[in-house]
């Protein structure tokens, strides 16, 4: 175990944290984490495979779902190595450049997932409010353009943010409070002025996840208004049923993200364990739960999965 004395630190090295207070049980704690990673990777991988191989699922809704699974896979793989190395080998050291790279992928996939959820909200809105024009609005070429726009939007804004981070000096303890590099966590360790970094980071969050959440909320206001105008209770139930999976995905993505932001901003005196648990929930729960939600709630996905499993058994 290295001594965390400020004087011995190389300026380009950080030390990650496992579960504070439970260091002696890391080997046992790795079991549930491994299970969560296995569920997330296999579940999202299965959804991607099913959508790509089943011609009946080559529709806008499922294309967007495949984008969601892709971003969830990216989030899992961005932290898999560092977290398991901490639990299994107590390998806590990470170079500054590797930390920057991990932050890029975590933030990038987070912003991409927010954009995908907005695109899925738009898909629900068109399907319910303007079903006759659905096929003409959401063509394959437009969906491809949306996919490229999501990737570009999720990554380009991060380059100046991380370049601003490179200019900071670190003269305090280099121990991070999470099992991965999180931008606000790294900034707290700097001994130089971080006002520009904080302002720019906040601006990016507002212009991506902030705007996305407002537009998603607006789309559901319009959807509810349209559904309530439907005379038949059966049709109302069917219309709301098409949105249940997406509403669940939005909730499990935004609630942990907002909770983590609030804890970092206002929970300075909260125990380190609280920070760590919320950070792990924020990164692992959406990738784990999204495949479960869409497998259970979406009949076509469930049928396609059962079909593949039955063929394998035969």
């Amino acid at each position: 175990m290295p001594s965390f004395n400020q004087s011995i630190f190389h300026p380009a090295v950080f030390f990650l944290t496992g579960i504070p207070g439970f260091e002696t049980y890391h080997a046992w704690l790795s079991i549930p984490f491994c299970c969560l990673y296995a569920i997330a990777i296999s579940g999202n991988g299965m959804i991607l495979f099913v959508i790509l191989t089943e011609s009946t699922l080559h529709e806008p809704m499922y294309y967007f779902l495949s984008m969601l699974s892709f971003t969830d896979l990216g989030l899992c793989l961005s932290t898999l190595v560092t977290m398991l190395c901490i639990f299994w080998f107590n390998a806590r050291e990470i170079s500054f450049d590797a930390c920057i790279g991990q932050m890029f992928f975590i933030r990038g996939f987070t912003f991409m997932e927010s954009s995908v959820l907005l695109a899925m909200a738009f898909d629900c809105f068109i399907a319910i409010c303007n079903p006759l024009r659905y096929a003409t609005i959401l063509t394959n070429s437009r969906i491809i353009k949306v996919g490229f726009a999501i990737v570009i939007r999720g990554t380009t804004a991060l380059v100046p943010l991380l370049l601003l981070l490179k200019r900071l000096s670190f003269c305090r303890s280099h121990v991070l409070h999470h099992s991965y590099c999180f931008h606000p966590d790294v900034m707290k360790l700097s001994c130089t002025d971080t006002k520009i970094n904080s302002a720019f980071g906040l601006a990016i969050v507002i212009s991506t996840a902030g705007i996305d959440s407002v537009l998603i909320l607006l789309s559901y206001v319009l959807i509810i208004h349209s559904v309530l105008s439907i005379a038949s209770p059966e049709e109302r139930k069917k219309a709301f049923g098409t949105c249940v999976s997406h509403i669940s995905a939005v909730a499990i993505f935004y609630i942990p993200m907002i909770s983590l932001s609030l804890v970092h901003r206002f929970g300075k005196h909260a125990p380190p364990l609280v920070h760590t648990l919320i950070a792990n929930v924020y990164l692992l729960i959406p990738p784990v739960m999204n495949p479960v939600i869409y497998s259970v709630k979406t009949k076509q996905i469930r049928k396609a999965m059962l079909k593949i499993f039955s063929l394998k058994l035969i």
Side-chain angles (χ1 to χ4, degrees):
M1 180 70 68
S3 172
F4 297 114
N5 189 315
Q6 175 180 318
S7 60
I8 67 168
F9 282 118
H10 188 277
V13 172
F14 290 109
F15 287 91
L16 300 171
T17 302
I19 307 296
F22 294 88
E23 287 83 1
T24 55
Y25 303 103
H26 274 177
W28 292 105
L29 289 171
S30 69
I31 296 173
F33 278 95
C34 285
C35 291
L36 290 174
Y37 273 113
I39 293 169
I41 292 170
S42 59
N44 287 292
M46 176 60 74
I47 285 181
L48 278 171
F49 178 76
V50 164
I51 292 172
L52 288 173
T53 55
E54 278 294 318
S55 57
T56 56
L57 299 179
H58 292 175
E59 297 178 8
M61 171 187 171
Y62 303 110
Y63 288 141
F64 289 131
L65 178 55
S66 66
M67 293 180 196
L68 184 67
S69 293
F70 175 77
T71 57
D72 282 337
L73 272 175
L75 272 176
C76 280
L77 297 175
S78 298
T79 59
L80 176 65
V81 175
T82 55
M83 288 190 72
L84 293 186
C85 281
I86 290 169
F87 286 128
W88 289 346
F89 310 112
N90 197 33
R92 302 170 60 184
E93 186 175 319
I94 184 170
S95 70
F96 182 61
D97 290 333
C99 197
I100 291 282
Q102 189 178 52
M103 278 189 284
F104 175 82
F105 286 110
I106 291 172
R107 283 283 193 175
F109 283 117
T110 299
F111 293 152
M112 279 191 271
E113 181 151 349
S114 177
S115 300
V116 171
L117 290 172
L118 175 59
M120 294 174 83
F122 180 72
D123 174 76
C124 290
F125 170 74
I126 298 297
I128 292 173
C129 300
N130 205 345
L132 297 178
R133 295 187 59 200
Y134 182 83
T136 58
I137 293 173
L138 291 174
T139 60
N140 288 343
S141 61
R142 282 179 179 166
I143 292 170
I144 292 171
K145 289 176 183 176
V146 168
F148 277 115
I150 287 170
V151 174
I152 292 169
R153 184 192 183 218
T155 54
T156 51
L158 292 175
V159 175
L161 180 70
L162 298 180
L163 288 176
L164 284 171
L165 197 63
K166 291 274 283 185
R167 72 180 180 86
L168 298 179
S169 299
F170 298 90
C171 56
R172 299 174 188 169
S173 167
H174 287 194
V175 182
L176 298 172
H177 295 296
H178 303 315
S179 307
Y180 55 87
C181 291
F182 188 57
H183 183 257
D185 198 18
V186 174
M187 278 201 306
K188 285 181 180 179
L189 302 182
S190 175
C191 55
T192 51
D193 187 16
T194 60
K195 288 180 182 177
I196 296 174
N197 299 68
S198 298
F200 193 74
L202 182 61
I204 291 175
V205 171
I206 291 172
S207 63
T208 52
I211 291 176
D212 291 348
S213 59
V214 171
L215 292 176
I216 289 170
L217 182 62
L218 177 61
S219 69
Y220 272 103
V221 170
L222 296 173
I223 286 170
I224 291 169
H225 180 266
S226 178
V227 170
L228 292 178
S229 65
I230 299 172
S232 169
E234 199 63 36
E235 289 180 357
R236 288 183 189 177
K237 184 179 178 182
K238 185 179 178 181
F240 278 125
T242 60
C243 300
V244 169
S245 298
H246 180 254
I247 292 171
S248 302
V250 169
I252 64 172
F253 174 76
Y254 279 104
I255 291 173
M257 185 173 71
I258 293 169
S259 301
L260 182 60
S261 300
L262 291 174
V263 165
H264 264 278
R265 191 162 293 272
F266 304 110
K268 294 179 181 178
H269 302 293
L273 183 62
V274 174
H275 288 262
T276 304
L277 290 178
I278 293 177
N280 290 330
V281 166
Y282 155 71
L283 217 59
L284 279 174
I285 294 303
V288 169
M289 291 304 299
N290 283 336
V292 176
I293 290 168
Y294 279 97
S295 300
V296 172
K297 293 291 184 181
T298 309
K299 184 179 178 182
Q300 291 85 345
I301 294 287
R302 191 167 63 252
K303 285 176 66 177
M305 284 186 172
L306 289 172
K307 179 182 175 182
I308 288 172
F309 282 126
S310 62
L311 286 173
K312 285 184 176 181
L313 287 172
I314 292 170

